[in-house]
Each structure stands twice: as C-alpha cells, then as structure tokens.
Amino acid sequence: MRGKLTQSDFPLSRTDSHLFSLPKTFLKMVFMAAILAAVVQVLAGLSTEEVQVEVTFTPERCSFKSEDGFFLRYHYNGTFPDGKKFDSSHDRGNTFDFTLGKGEVIKGMDQALRGMCAGEKRKITIPPHLAYGDSGVDGVIPSGATLVFDVEMVEVRDPTEEVPNVLFWWLGETPTNAFGDMDANKDKIVTKDEFTKYCYEQVSAEKGKFLPGRREVDLIEDMFHFQDQDDDGVISFAEFSGPKDHDELFPKMISRVVTLAVALQIFAALAVDDLSEVEIEVTFKPKRCIFVSREGYFLRYHYNGTFPDGKKFDSSHDRGDTFDFILGRGEVIKGMDTGLRGMCAGEKRKITVPPHLAYGEKGVEGTIPPGSTLVFEVELIEVLDPTDDVPKNLFWWVGETPKNSFGDSDVNRDKKISKEEFSNYCHKMADSDKGIFLPGRREQDLIDDMFTFQDRDRDGFISFAEFAGPKIHDKHDEL
C-alpha cells in the first residue's frame, strides 16, 4: 500500500465525490477494518472446517454417542499422508483414554471424536494448525505435518453417572432357563459361540440390551470370561450366573447323584412341622452383612458334609464346584432349607441336621445310612435376588467420586497397582463409608473379579492405561 491515498485508489464515480470530504484518516481506518474482517472470517473458517472425518464403520446399534465431558477409550494408528506410521496404540497394547473437550488431546482430535459410539471407526485427517503446527514434536512429528488417524472407539462413558451400568439386561420378562436355551447341543456346557449367538438373538428380538457405550464384542468377552471361572473355555451349569433350571439336587454324592423325583418322595414322606431341631452355629460373619438370604433367593455355597463322628460323606470343595439352588423351593433337604436362611455372602455356619429333616429312615444307599444325623460346614459364596432384572455393579462410590483413585491406590508410586494395593484401597474406601461393595457376594471375590477384569495383559498389575476408575490424565503424555 502506498503511503498516501488518492482518489484514484477508490473505484468511485464522480457522483460519489462528496464522500471525499470525509477526513482521509477515517477512510484509511475503514479500509483496514474491512481487510481485518476478511482475515478473521478466513481464519474462523479454517479452525472449524479443515478436519476431515470419514466414517468407515458404524455398529448396527449406535444410540449412545460421545459429547464434551465424556470419558473415551479408543485405539488408533497414526500416520502421515504418505502412509508412514508415527504412532499406534495397538503397538503398545493399550487404548488411549481421555476426557473429551478438556484440551487433553490436539484440537483436531477433540473435534473429530465428537458424536462417536463404541465400535465406530473413523479415518481422521488433521491439518497442521489443529495438530502440532510449525513446532511439531522433536524426532516424531515434523514441522507443519498433516496427521492421519485410523480410530476405533472402544468405550464411551458419561462420568456424571456415579453408578456404572451393567453389561447386559433383559427387556420385559426374564427368561426362565437361559442356560438351556444357549446350550444348543445339550451337552450341559455353553461354548463361546453359543453364548455369543444367544446374546445377539436376544438383542435382535428386543428381549435384551447391551450396555451402551462399549463395543458389544467386548461386553460378550467380559461376561463370558467372568462366568468361565475355571478358564476351560466353556461355562458349566454351576458357573452360569443367569436364569437356569436347577435340575441337580443337593448334595451331589461321590458314589451317585440323587434324582429330584426320589428326593421329593423322601421329603413328602418325612414332612414334619417342627423345624426347630436344626442346630445352627455361626462360625464367621463378615464385617459388612446387610443383604441376607431369603426364600426365593438364588444361593451359591461351598460345604463339607460329615457324620457326627467326623467321617466325610460329601464335599463341594472336592469337586471344585459350588452348589447352586433356590432357597425355599424344596431343591435341598428340609434341614438345609432352614439352616441357610438369613445368611450373608462370606458368612460361615456349622449346621447339624437331624434324620427326619435329612434322609430319614431310608437314607441314601451306599452313602447315607438310615437314621443319620448330618453335619454341614458351609460358606455362602453368593446371595442373589432373582427378581432383580438388572444385575448390580461390583463396587460404587458413596457421595463424591474420587478424582484420582489410581494415584491413591498406587502407594509406592511405581505407576502400577498390585493386587495388595488394590485390595487395601477398596477396603479403605468401604471402611470409611466412601464406597460400597455389591451386597450378596464375598468381598474378596468382588476384588478378585474387579482386579482380573482390569489386568488385561495378565501381568499381575493394573497399569495406568488399564485402570478403569477415576484417574488424572497428564496432558500430552501420549500422542
């Protein structure tokens, strides 16, 4: 621009010449303001329109999408436009976790990851000014580099929900025998394929629903692994935690199994109104015992069965399986139906059952002599109210959620949490009334399940990336 403006600098006609009576300084200001406004408009357009987002896969069910403030977990491959890779979460074996809209990632990613659902995949191209600009990242990202990310969203979670959602729940009436419906070949075990097929069938028929915000394949994997307690690749009848027909009778004898029909005949013949003769001795009671067994509740327990002289006739420990049944339905001998009432998970009892409340004068051939008194040392593993259609989570916070449970758990500051540190922290929170364990299961079992669920690489520790609870994300700790 020349130092002095003349009339020839403006394309105005003679009829507009009266405008030049205005001060020349004012005209300069108007001209510069117009230029500045145009530049601002251009810059504004660049800051919102230059991120390129291509959706490469959308799950069949996509109703819960990411918003500012949501916690996200995702996998990605980061490349330059020529295909050369500069970073990958897959190579590290860990997702990248952050809170959307808090400036914890580059601006282009904060924009491009909005409105995503779990399982969705996107190809995201980010220009330099929304990535690392002219500064780059020494040794990794050159100055002025455009970045391309192939992203798969693994989890979307609203952190304002203090109580985590369950993985799967029924819509409408709960099935009476999900185990039998899954077990297509009737071999009394459920394979991974059978389990997966059944879950998808229920959802497709609108009889069940997956937890929104996580990939369905991950939910199935977690549910199957949680129930496959012996890690043999199948879920047995005893392991299955969903609705099932209880076609096995307590107890399973070493020499033979007593059938339900025979047992019911025995119970009918020995029916006695006086149930007061069952002797119950509580040998251990957990510190927290607020949810106790009642008629109609599903129970899982371990036991040793002996005669009064100490000779053992049966044991669930020897078989490695708990015994599972519904209390008050006549699925066990009358004395046990009485002796197991009012128990909480983790409680231990010694229950002495007289003959007329056990197998009476008939006994069980080869195992229980006629007129036998039976002694059971019992530990209750789980108490579940089957009328609860939506299962409860394993642990939740009372009051305000901690901001950095990972840091609080990591006592020795080695950036990983051991089983002992995790256990101590959970008990500390429960003891101080800041957290509560799921009522109805032993606390140590809950801790074991929560720890195993998060220790994804099975190295005996929970890393920062693996930890699913509240944690403070150091800004730019990963690309």
Side-chain angles (χ1 to χ4, degrees), residues 28-47:
K28 286 183 180 181
M29 291 174 62
V30 171
F31 184 67
M32 294 302 295
I35 293 175
L36 180 60
V39 171
V40 169
Q41 286 180 341
V42 172
L43 292 177
L46 289 174
S47 66

Side-chain angles (χ1 to χ4, degrees), residues 108-172:
M109 288 299 277
D110 245 348
Q111 291 180 21
L113 295 177
R114 289 183 169 93
M116 282 189 79
C117 58
E120 184 177 338
K121 298 179 183 180
R122 292 183 178 183
K123 181 178 181 180
I124 301 168
T125 303
I126 303 178
H129 68 278
L130 294 176
Y132 293 96
D134 292 331
S135 300
V137 176
D138 190 28
V140 183
I141 308 292
S143 172
T146 294
L147 307 181
V148 180
F149 293 92
D150 288 306
V151 170
E152 180 178 6
M153 188 63 67
V154 175
E155 181 178 2
V156 178
R157 179 158 56 86
D158 182 354
T160 62
E161 295 182 4
E162 294 186 5
V163 179
N165 294 311
V166 295
L167 304 189
F168 183 93
W169 60 90
W170 306 109
L171 301 176

Side-chain angles (χ1 to χ4, degrees), residues 384-404:
L384 176 67
D385 182 354
T387 63
D388 287 345
D389 289 341
V390 181
K392 302 176 179 69
N393 56 297
L394 304 189
F395 185 92
W396 61 88
W397 304 110
V398 177
E400 186 176 355
T401 302
K403 290 183 171 58
N404 189 19

Side-chain angles (χ1 to χ4, degrees), residues 183-255:
D183 182 20
N185 58 6
K186 305 307 177 187
D187 56 359
K188 297 188 178 180
I189 56 176
V190 173
T191 66
K192 182 72 169 291
D193 287 343
E194 288 174 328
F195 187 83
T196 301
K197 181 180 178 183
Y198 180 79
C199 289
Y200 280 124
E201 286 177 347
Q202 296 305 298
V203 174
S204 296
E206 298 184 351
K207 295 180 179 179
K209 182 178 181 180
F210 288 108
L211 165 68
R214 287 190 58 198
R215 295 184 301 183
E216 293 176 0
V217 64
D218 292 339
L219 296 172
I220 290 173
E221 183 72 30
D222 289 343
M223 289 188 291
F224 189 88
H225 178 74
F226 175 75
Q227 295 177 85
D228 180 18
Q229 296 167 11
D230 57 7
D231 291 325
D232 63 351
V234 295
I235 301 174
S236 67
F237 182 87
E239 291 173 326
F240 188 71
S241 61
K244 56 187 177 182
D245 280 344
H246 298 269
D247 55 2
E248 296 178 83
L249 182 69
F250 172 87
K252 295 179 180 176
M253 301 304 174
I254 297 174
S255 60

Side-chain angles (χ1 to χ4, degrees), residues 341-357:
R341 294 172 190 256
M343 284 187 78
C344 59
E347 184 176 340
K348 298 179 182 179
R349 290 182 179 182
K350 181 179 180 180
I351 303 172
T352 302
V353 182
H356 68 279
L357 296 178

